[in-house]
Amino acid sequence: MKYVAPTMNEAMKKVRNELGENAVILNSKVMDSGGVFGLFKKRMVEVIAAIDPGIENEKAEMKRLRSQPDASKSVSFKQDEHRKQQLKSENSVQQELKELKKMIASFTSSSQFERYDSSIREILLHLQIQGINESLLLQAGDHLQGYFKSSGQKGTEILLIEAKRFLKDAVSEVNMSGMSYKKKYINVIGPTGVGKTTTLAKMAAEAVIEKRMKIGFITTDTYRIAAIEQLKTYAGLLNVPVEVVYKLEDYKKAIHKFRDFDHVFIDTAGRNFREKKFVDDLHKVIDFERDMETFLVLSLTGKEDDMKEIITQFSAIEINAFIFTKLDETSTYGSMVNILKETKTGIAYITTGQDVPEDITEVDADYISELLLKGFSHERSGV
Protein backbone atom coordinates (compact mmCIF):
# COMPACT_ATOMS: atom_id res chain seq x y z
CA MET A 1 0.00 0.00 0.00
CA LYS A 2 1.13 3.55 -0.69
CA TYR A 3 1.46 6.23 2.00
CA VAL A 4 2.32 9.90 1.43
CA ALA A 5 3.33 12.34 4.17
CA PRO A 6 5.46 15.50 4.60
CA THR A 7 8.21 13.60 6.47
CA MET A 8 9.53 10.06 6.79
CA ASN A 9 8.53 10.01 10.48
CA GLU A 10 4.91 10.83 9.65
CA ALA A 11 4.83 8.31 6.82
CA MET A 12 6.13 5.60 9.18
CA LYS A 13 3.43 6.50 11.70
CA LYS A 14 0.77 5.99 9.02
CA VAL A 15 2.25 2.63 8.13
CA ARG A 16 2.32 1.48 11.75
CA ASN A 17 -1.21 2.72 12.44
CA GLU A 18 -2.72 0.90 9.47
CA LEU A 19 -0.55 -2.18 9.00
CA GLY A 20 0.84 -2.61 12.51
CA GLU A 21 4.33 -3.40 13.72
CA ASN A 22 4.70 -6.32 11.27
CA ALA A 23 4.73 -4.02 8.22
CA VAL A 24 7.82 -3.84 6.02
CA ILE A 25 8.95 -0.95 3.83
CA LEU A 26 9.19 -2.01 0.19
CA ASN A 27 10.17 1.32 -1.31
CA SER A 28 10.30 5.02 -0.54
CA LYS A 29 11.10 8.21 -2.39
CA VAL A 30 10.94 11.97 -2.05
CA MET A 31 8.67 13.75 -4.51
CA ASP A 32 7.27 17.21 -5.16
CA SER A 33 3.52 17.74 -5.15
CA GLY A 34 1.15 20.62 -5.79
CA GLY A 35 2.33 24.02 -6.89
CA VAL A 36 1.27 26.42 -9.60
CA PHE A 37 3.23 26.76 -12.86
CA GLY A 38 6.10 24.87 -11.26
CA LEU A 39 6.22 27.18 -8.23
CA PHE A 40 5.40 26.62 -4.54
CA LYS A 41 5.85 22.88 -4.75
CA LYS A 42 5.73 20.93 -1.51
CA ARG A 43 8.20 18.15 -0.84
CA MET A 44 6.54 14.90 0.26
CA VAL A 45 7.73 11.39 1.15
CA GLU A 46 6.07 8.41 -0.54
CA VAL A 47 6.36 5.02 1.18
CA ILE A 48 5.17 1.68 -0.14
CA ALA A 49 4.60 -0.89 2.61
CA ALA A 50 3.05 -4.33 3.06
CA ILE A 51 2.47 -7.04 5.65
CA ASP A 52 5.26 -9.64 5.81
CA PRO A 53 3.85 -12.98 4.53
CA GLY A 54 6.06 -14.74 7.05
CA ILE A 55 3.68 -13.62 9.80
CA GLU A 56 0.80 -15.40 8.08
CA ASN A 57 2.92 -18.56 7.90
CA GLU A 58 3.53 -18.29 11.63
CA LYS A 59 -0.21 -17.99 12.27
CA ALA A 60 -0.84 -21.07 10.14
CA GLU A 61 1.77 -23.01 12.08
CA MET A 62 0.19 -21.96 15.37
CA LYS A 63 -3.19 -23.15 14.10
CA ARG A 64 -1.69 -26.53 13.12
CA LEU A 65 -0.13 -26.92 16.54
CA ARG A 66 -3.40 -26.17 18.28
CA SER A 67 -5.22 -28.79 16.17
CA GLN A 68 -2.96 -31.68 17.18
CA PRO A 69 -4.63 -34.63 19.05
CA ASP A 70 -4.52 -34.81 22.85
CA ALA A 71 -2.48 -38.06 23.01
CA SER A 72 0.54 -37.70 25.28
CA LYS A 73 -0.95 -34.34 26.12
CA SER A 74 1.51 -33.22 28.77
CA VAL A 75 4.58 -33.93 26.65
CA SER A 76 3.00 -32.64 23.45
CA PHE A 77 1.82 -29.46 25.13
CA LYS A 78 5.31 -28.63 26.34
CA GLN A 79 6.77 -29.37 22.92
CA ASP A 80 4.12 -27.26 21.20
CA GLU A 81 4.65 -24.37 23.59
CA HIS A 82 8.39 -24.56 23.05
CA ARG A 83 7.88 -24.61 19.29
CA LYS A 84 5.51 -21.66 19.46
CA GLN A 85 8.02 -19.61 21.38
CA GLN A 86 10.79 -20.67 19.02
CA LEU A 87 8.75 -19.72 15.96
CA LYS A 88 7.76 -16.44 17.53
CA SER A 89 11.36 -15.62 18.41
CA GLU A 90 12.74 -16.63 15.00
CA ASN A 91 10.09 -14.73 13.07
CA SER A 92 10.47 -11.70 15.30
CA VAL A 93 14.22 -11.52 14.71
CA GLN A 94 13.84 -12.12 10.97
CA GLN A 95 11.12 -9.50 10.76
CA GLU A 96 13.17 -6.92 12.62
CA LEU A 97 16.17 -7.56 10.38
CA LYS A 98 14.04 -7.37 7.27
CA GLU A 99 12.37 -4.15 8.32
CA LEU A 100 15.70 -2.61 9.28
CA LYS A 101 17.26 -3.52 5.93
CA LYS A 102 14.28 -2.13 4.07
CA MET A 103 14.41 1.09 6.01
CA ILE A 104 18.14 1.39 5.28
CA ALA A 105 17.33 0.89 1.61
CA SER A 106 14.67 3.58 1.88
CA PHE A 107 17.31 5.99 3.14
CA THR A 108 19.48 5.18 0.13
CA SER A 109 16.68 6.06 -2.26
CA SER A 110 15.81 9.29 -0.47
CA SER A 111 17.38 12.31 -2.18
CA GLN A 112 18.05 14.09 1.10
CA PHE A 113 20.29 11.29 2.42
CA GLU A 114 21.86 9.79 -0.69
CA ARG A 115 24.80 12.19 -0.54
CA TYR A 116 25.99 10.59 2.70
CA ASP A 117 28.30 7.63 3.06
CA SER A 118 26.56 4.34 3.91
CA SER A 119 28.06 4.26 7.43
CA ILE A 120 26.64 7.71 8.09
CA ARG A 121 23.23 6.64 6.78
CA GLU A 122 23.22 3.78 9.28
CA ILE A 123 23.77 6.20 12.14
CA LEU A 124 21.12 8.59 10.80
CA LEU A 125 18.64 5.73 10.50
CA HIS A 126 19.19 4.82 14.14
CA LEU A 127 18.67 8.43 15.19
CA GLN A 128 15.57 8.68 13.03
CA ILE A 129 14.11 5.61 14.76
CA GLN A 130 14.95 7.34 18.05
CA GLY A 131 12.67 10.16 16.93
CA ILE A 132 15.25 12.88 16.28
CA ASN A 133 13.65 15.53 14.04
CA GLU A 134 14.71 15.94 10.42
CA SER A 135 16.45 19.27 10.91
CA LEU A 136 18.87 17.84 13.48
CA LEU A 137 19.28 14.67 11.40
CA LEU A 138 20.45 16.69 8.42
CA GLN A 139 22.78 18.74 10.61
CA ALA A 140 24.22 15.49 11.97
CA GLY A 141 24.59 14.08 8.45
CA ASP A 142 26.39 17.16 7.17
CA HIS A 143 28.67 17.25 10.20
CA LEU A 144 29.59 13.57 9.92
CA GLN A 145 30.12 13.82 6.16
CA GLY A 146 32.46 16.77 6.68
CA TYR A 147 34.34 14.87 9.36
CA PHE A 148 34.47 11.82 7.09
CA LYS A 149 36.07 13.81 4.28
CA SER A 150 38.47 15.91 6.33
CA SER A 151 39.76 13.19 8.65
CA GLY A 152 39.83 10.27 6.24
CA GLN A 153 38.39 8.09 9.03
CA LYS A 154 36.05 5.58 7.41
CA GLY A 155 35.18 3.11 10.16
CA THR A 156 31.65 3.14 11.55
CA GLU A 157 32.95 3.02 15.13
CA ILE A 158 35.02 6.17 14.51
CA LEU A 159 31.98 7.91 13.05
CA LEU A 160 29.94 6.75 16.02
CA ILE A 161 32.33 8.51 18.40
CA GLU A 162 32.00 11.69 16.34
CA ALA A 163 28.19 11.31 16.29
CA LYS A 164 28.19 11.18 20.09
CA ARG A 165 30.33 14.33 20.16
CA PHE A 166 27.91 16.08 17.80
CA LEU A 167 24.86 15.11 19.90
CA LYS A 168 26.62 16.18 23.07
CA ASP A 169 27.30 19.62 21.56
CA ALA A 170 23.71 19.81 20.28
CA VAL A 171 22.22 19.63 23.78
CA SER A 172 25.00 21.30 25.75
CA GLU A 173 23.36 24.71 25.31
CA VAL A 174 20.62 23.88 27.85
CA ASN A 175 21.13 23.83 31.60
CA MET A 176 21.35 20.34 33.13
CA SER A 177 21.20 20.27 36.91
CA GLY A 178 18.84 19.22 39.68
CA MET A 179 17.18 21.41 42.26
CA SER A 180 19.06 24.62 42.93
CA TYR A 181 17.91 24.77 46.57
CA LYS A 182 17.89 28.55 46.11
CA LYS A 183 14.09 28.74 46.30
CA LYS A 184 12.05 27.74 49.32
CA TYR A 185 9.11 26.32 47.38
CA ILE A 186 9.61 23.38 45.03
CA ASN A 187 6.65 22.84 42.73
CA VAL A 188 5.98 20.02 40.24
CA ILE A 189 3.29 20.36 37.59
CA GLY A 190 2.25 18.27 34.62
CA PRO A 191 -0.50 16.13 33.10
CA THR A 192 -2.08 13.09 34.70
CA GLY A 193 -0.20 9.81 34.71
CA VAL A 194 3.36 11.11 34.39
CA GLY A 195 4.39 10.23 37.95
CA LYS A 196 4.49 13.66 39.60
CA THR A 197 3.86 12.50 43.17
CA THR A 198 6.49 9.77 43.06
CA THR A 199 8.96 12.16 41.46
CA LEU A 200 8.29 14.79 44.12
CA ALA A 201 8.91 12.19 46.83
CA LYS A 202 12.25 11.28 45.26
CA MET A 203 13.30 14.94 45.22
CA ALA A 204 12.14 15.44 48.80
CA ALA A 205 14.01 12.34 49.93
CA GLU A 206 17.25 13.87 48.64
CA ALA A 207 16.60 17.02 50.66
CA VAL A 208 15.84 15.06 53.84
CA ILE A 209 18.30 12.18 53.64
CA GLU A 210 21.29 13.75 51.90
CA LYS A 211 20.92 17.44 52.75
CA ARG A 212 19.44 16.96 56.24
CA MET A 213 16.88 19.68 55.58
CA LYS A 214 13.59 20.38 57.32
CA ILE A 215 10.81 20.10 54.73
CA GLY A 216 7.05 19.92 54.43
CA PHE A 217 4.60 18.77 51.78
CA ILE A 218 1.63 20.62 50.31
CA THR A 219 -0.77 18.85 47.98
CA THR A 220 -3.38 20.57 45.85
CA ASP A 221 -4.41 17.26 44.27
CA THR A 222 -7.84 17.05 45.88
CA TYR A 223 -9.36 15.35 42.83
CA ARG A 224 -8.02 11.92 43.71
CA ILE A 225 -8.13 10.47 47.20
CA ALA A 226 -5.45 7.97 46.22
CA ALA A 227 -3.05 10.81 45.38
CA ILE A 228 -3.42 12.35 48.84
CA GLU A 229 -2.91 8.98 50.52
CA GLN A 230 0.14 8.29 48.35
CA LEU A 231 1.78 11.55 49.37
CA LYS A 232 0.89 10.92 53.03
CA THR A 233 2.60 7.52 52.78
CA TYR A 234 5.80 9.11 51.48
CA ALA A 235 5.53 11.83 54.13
CA GLY A 236 5.23 9.18 56.83
CA LEU A 237 8.35 7.40 55.57
CA LEU A 238 10.30 10.67 55.58
CA ASN A 239 8.69 11.80 58.84
CA VAL A 240 7.55 15.16 57.44
CA PRO A 241 4.16 16.94 57.66
CA VAL A 242 1.56 17.27 54.88
CA GLU A 243 -1.00 20.01 54.30
CA VAL A 244 -3.93 19.48 51.91
CA VAL A 245 -5.14 22.72 50.29
CA TYR A 246 -8.33 23.38 48.34
CA LYS A 247 -8.07 27.09 47.62
CA LEU A 248 -5.60 29.97 47.74
CA GLU A 249 -6.54 30.83 51.34
CA ASP A 250 -5.65 27.27 52.42
CA TYR A 251 -2.37 27.56 50.55
CA LYS A 252 -1.46 30.78 52.36
CA LYS A 253 -2.23 29.15 55.73
CA ALA A 254 -0.05 26.18 54.82
CA ILE A 255 2.96 28.27 53.85
CA HIS A 256 2.55 30.27 57.05
CA LYS A 257 2.63 27.01 59.00
CA PHE A 258 5.84 26.04 57.16
CA ARG A 259 7.43 29.49 57.52
CA ASP A 260 10.39 28.12 59.49
CA PHE A 261 11.02 25.16 57.18
CA ASP A 262 13.95 24.98 54.75
CA HIS A 263 11.85 23.88 51.79
CA VAL A 264 8.24 23.10 50.94
CA PHE A 265 7.46 20.58 48.20
CA ILE A 266 4.17 21.15 46.38
CA ASP A 267 2.26 18.39 44.58
CA THR A 268 -0.37 19.48 42.05
CA ALA A 269 -3.30 17.67 40.47
CA GLY A 270 -2.76 15.84 37.22
CA ARG A 271 -5.30 17.11 34.72
CA ASN A 272 -5.76 17.33 30.97
CA PHE A 273 -3.65 20.45 30.62
CA ARG A 274 -4.35 20.70 26.91
CA GLU A 275 -7.40 22.57 28.21
CA LYS A 276 -6.36 26.03 29.38
CA LYS A 277 -9.03 26.02 32.08
CA PHE A 278 -7.06 23.57 34.20
CA VAL A 279 -3.91 25.67 33.92
CA ASP A 280 -5.89 28.71 35.06
CA ASP A 281 -7.19 26.67 38.01
CA LEU A 282 -3.61 26.26 39.29
CA HIS A 283 -3.33 30.03 39.69
CA LYS A 284 -6.42 29.98 41.89
CA VAL A 285 -4.70 27.69 44.40
CA ILE A 286 -0.95 28.40 44.16
CA ASP A 287 0.96 31.66 44.44
CA PHE A 288 3.57 31.16 41.71
CA GLU A 289 5.21 34.50 42.47
CA ARG A 290 6.46 33.48 45.91
CA ASP A 291 10.09 32.28 45.96
CA MET A 292 9.30 29.23 43.81
CA GLU A 293 11.18 26.78 41.59
CA THR A 294 8.81 25.01 39.20
CA PHE A 295 9.43 21.77 37.31
CA LEU A 296 7.25 20.53 34.47
CA VAL A 297 7.05 16.72 34.49
CA LEU A 298 6.67 14.95 31.14
CA SER A 299 6.61 11.23 30.37
CA LEU A 300 9.00 9.86 27.74
CA THR A 301 6.25 7.42 26.75
CA GLY A 302 4.07 10.32 25.60
CA LYS A 303 3.73 11.71 22.10
CA GLU A 304 6.02 14.59 21.27
CA ASP A 305 3.22 16.72 19.82
CA ASP A 306 1.17 16.26 23.01
CA MET A 307 4.16 17.25 25.15
CA LYS A 308 4.71 20.38 23.08
CA GLU A 309 1.06 21.31 23.41
CA ILE A 310 1.27 20.93 27.20
CA ILE A 311 4.39 23.12 27.28
CA THR A 312 2.56 25.79 25.30
CA GLN A 313 -0.38 25.70 27.70
CA PHE A 314 1.97 26.24 30.64
CA SER A 315 3.70 29.19 28.96
CA ALA A 316 2.11 31.61 31.44
CA ILE A 317 4.01 29.89 34.26
CA GLU A 318 7.79 30.21 34.57
CA ILE A 319 9.16 26.69 34.08
CA ASN A 320 12.66 26.38 35.50
CA ALA A 321 13.36 22.92 34.11
CA PHE A 322 11.80 19.73 32.80
CA ILE A 323 11.75 16.36 34.50
CA PHE A 324 11.34 13.42 32.11
CA THR A 325 9.88 10.27 33.62
CA LYS A 326 9.46 6.61 32.62
CA LEU A 327 12.81 6.19 30.88
CA ASP A 328 12.54 2.49 31.75
CA GLU A 329 9.27 2.14 29.81
CA THR A 330 10.55 3.22 26.40
CA SER A 331 13.50 2.68 24.09
CA THR A 332 13.23 5.95 22.13
CA TYR A 333 14.42 9.27 23.52
CA GLY A 334 14.53 11.65 20.55
CA SER A 335 11.47 13.63 21.64
CA MET A 336 13.34 14.74 24.76
CA VAL A 337 16.21 16.15 22.69
CA ASN A 338 13.85 17.84 20.22
CA ILE A 339 12.00 19.55 23.09
CA LEU A 340 15.17 20.65 24.87
CA LYS A 341 16.57 22.22 21.70
CA GLU A 342 13.30 23.85 20.68
CA THR A 343 12.39 25.35 24.07
CA LYS A 344 15.95 26.01 25.37
CA THR A 345 14.56 24.98 28.77
CA GLY A 346 16.84 22.97 31.03
CA ILE A 347 16.44 19.44 32.33
CA ALA A 348 16.66 18.66 36.04
CA TYR A 349 16.17 14.91 36.26
CA ILE A 350 15.25 11.70 34.47
CA THR A 351 13.41 8.99 36.37
CA THR A 352 13.91 5.30 35.67
CA GLY A 353 11.36 3.48 37.83
CA GLN A 354 9.05 3.63 40.84
CA ASP A 355 11.53 3.10 43.67
CA VAL A 356 11.92 6.04 46.07
CA PRO A 357 14.47 7.57 46.31
CA GLU A 358 16.67 5.47 44.01
CA ASP A 359 15.14 5.77 40.53
CA ILE A 360 15.99 9.38 39.75
CA THR A 361 19.16 10.84 38.30
CA GLU A 362 20.61 14.12 37.14
CA VAL A 363 21.85 14.03 33.56
CA ASP A 364 24.45 15.73 31.42
CA ALA A 365 25.14 16.01 27.69
CA ASP A 366 27.32 12.88 27.74
CA TYR A 367 24.51 10.86 29.29
CA ILE A 368 21.99 11.98 26.67
CA SER A 369 24.31 11.33 23.71
CA GLU A 370 25.06 7.84 25.04
CA LEU A 371 21.35 7.24 25.53
CA LEU A 372 20.50 8.18 21.94
CA LEU A 373 23.08 5.84 20.44
CA LYS A 374 22.52 3.04 22.93
CA GLY A 375 22.17 -0.32 21.15
CA PHE A 376 23.41 0.94 17.78
CA SER A 377 26.06 -1.78 17.44
CA HIS A 378 23.48 -4.45 18.32
CA GLU A 379 21.15 -3.23 15.58
CA ARG A 380 23.94 -3.41 13.02
CA SER A 381 24.84 -6.98 14.00
CA GLY A 382 21.21 -8.06 14.25
CA VAL A 383 21.55 -9.01 17.92
Side-chain angles (χ1 to χ4, degrees):
M1 298 183 68
K2 184 187 298 183
Y3 302 86
V4 178
T7 67
M8 178 63 77
N9 280 343
E10 292 180 44
M12 292 299 295
K13 286 180 183 178
K14 288 185 177 182
V15 172
R16 281 194 294 269
N17 289 339
E18 188 162 329
L19 300 182
E21 296 298 328
N22 294 323
V24 293
I25 307 302
L26 303 178
N27 189 32
S28 71
K29 64 180 180 180
V30 176
M31 60 182 188
D32 293 326
S33 65
V36 179
F37 300 116
L39 301 175
F40 309 112
K41 290 182 178 180
K42 186 176 182 181
R43 177 153 290 190
M44 304 291 284
V45 176
E46 178 186 278
V47 173
I48 298 176
I51 296 291
D52 183 6
I55 300 300
E56 297 302 320
N57 294 337
E58 179 185 349
K59 292 179 180 178
E61 177 67 9
M62 294 299 183
K63 184 177 181 181
R64 182 191 68 78
L65 289 169
R66 286 194 294 269
S67 66
Q68 286 185 344
D70 291 337
S72 305
K73 188 173 182 179
S74 60
V75 176
S76 177
F77 178 80
K78 291 180 181 179
Q79 291 175 339
D80 290 350
E81 287 297 311
H82 176 73
R83 180 57 180 158
K84 289 178 187 178
Q85 294 299 322
Q86 188 178 35
L87 282 170
K88 185 177 181 180
S89 177
E90 290 174 355
N91 277 281
S92 176
V93 171
Q94 291 174 3
Q95 173 60 27
E96 288 175 4
L97 286 172
K98 185 183 295 184
E99 185 170 352
L100 189 57
K101 289 176 181 178
K102 292 295 183 182
M103 289 182 71
I104 291 174
S106 75
F107 259 69
T108 304
S109 65
S110 172
S111 62
Q112 60 182 339
F113 292 106
E114 64 184 6
R115 65 181 181 270
Y116 301 131
D117 179 78
S118 60
S119 296
I120 296 174
R121 289 200 298 269
E122 287 185 60
I123 295 173
L124 294 179
L125 171 60
H126 173 88
L127 294 175
Q128 185 186 48
I129 294 172
Q130 281 292 310
I132 293 295
N133 64 36
E134 289 192 23
S135 174
L136 188 56
L137 278 175
L138 291 173
Q139 290 176 42
D142 291 344
H143 176 83
L144 292 175
Q145 190 72 8
Y147 176 81
F148 178 78
K149 290 180 178 179
S150 63
S151 68
Q153 302 285 352
K154 297 185 178 181
T156 301
E157 295 306 317
I158 298 296
L159 287 171
L160 188 61
I161 293 172
E162 187 61 24
K164 288 180 181 178
R165 186 178 295 116
F166 171 83
L167 292 169
K168 177 183 174 181
D169 291 342
V171 296
S172 61
E173 60 188 320
V174 302
N175 181 53
M176 298 185 188
S177 62
M179 288 182 292
S180 68
Y181 290 102
K182 294 179 180 178
K183 304 288 186 178
K184 179 170 181 174
Y185 302 98
I186 312 298
N187 182 35
V188 293
I189 57 178
T192 184
V194 296
K196 292 189 303 301
T197 303
T198 303
T199 300
L200 188 73
K202 293 172 183 177
M203 297 165 68
E206 177 185 298
V208 172
I209 298 170
E210 296 183 19
K211 306 289 186 180
R212 302 295 180 182
M213 291 178 169
K214 183 180 180 181
I215 73 159
F217 281 126
I218 290 176
T219 178
T220 68
D221 191 354
T222 56
Y223 298 97
R224 298 180 301 128
I225 298 299
I228 297 175
E229 294 305 315
Q230 183 184 18
L231 189 62
K232 285 183 176 179
T233 298
Y234 291 135
L237 293 171
L238 295 173
N239 194 28
V240 299
V242 181
E243 289 293 315
V244 181
V245 305
Y246 296 86
K247 54 186 183 295
L248 188 57
E249 288 76 11
D250 297 333
Y251 177 80
K252 291 178 178 179
K253 290 178 182 178
I255 62 174
H256 178 74
K257 182 176 180 178
F258 292 142
R259 62 188 180 279
D260 296 326
F261 284 53
D262 295 315
H263 293 284
V264 179
F265 289 78
I266 304 167
D267 191 22
T268 58
R271 305 298 297 272
N272 179 9
F273 288 113
R274 284 179 294 181
E275 295 185 28
K276 190 174 183 298
K277 170 186 179 298
F278 296 127
V279 179
D280 294 337
D281 287 345
L282 286 176
H283 286 279
K284 297 176 183 177
V285 181
I286 298 174
D287 180 5
F288 285 95
E289 304 300 320
R290 184 188 291 268
D291 196 22
M292 183 174 291
E293 190 169 21
T294 299
F295 299 91
L296 176 57
V297 183
L298 300 169
S299 170
L300 286 170
T301 61
K303 296 179 181 178
E304 183 177 334
D305 287 346
D306 290 341
M307 287 191 277
K308 288 180 178 178
E309 187 174 355
I310 290 166
I311 293 168
T312 299
Q313 290 288 58
F314 278 112
S315 59
I317 297 172
E318 182 182 357
I319 305 299
N320 297 98
F322 296 123
I323 297 174
F324 290 95
T325 60
K326 303 189 180 183
L327 177 76
D328 55 313
E329 296 182 24
T330 184
S331 59
T332 56
Y333 320 106
S335 59
M336 173 175 60
V337 173
N338 297 339
I339 287 172
L340 292 177
K341 284 190 65 62
E342 183 174 323
T343 64
K344 303 295 189 296
T345 301
I347 175 172
Y349 302 100
I350 287 178
T351 72
T352 56
Q354 294 295 312
D355 290 345
V356 177
E358 292 86 358
D359 295 335
I360 188 169
T361 183
E362 294 183 34
V363 299
D364 56 24
D366 279 316
Y367 181 97
I368 292 177
S369 65
E370 291 282 349
L371 198 62
L372 287 170
L373 289 165
K374 178 181 177 182
F376 173 75
S377 60
H378 294 296
E379 289 178 1
R380 293 180 63 239
S381 62
V383 176

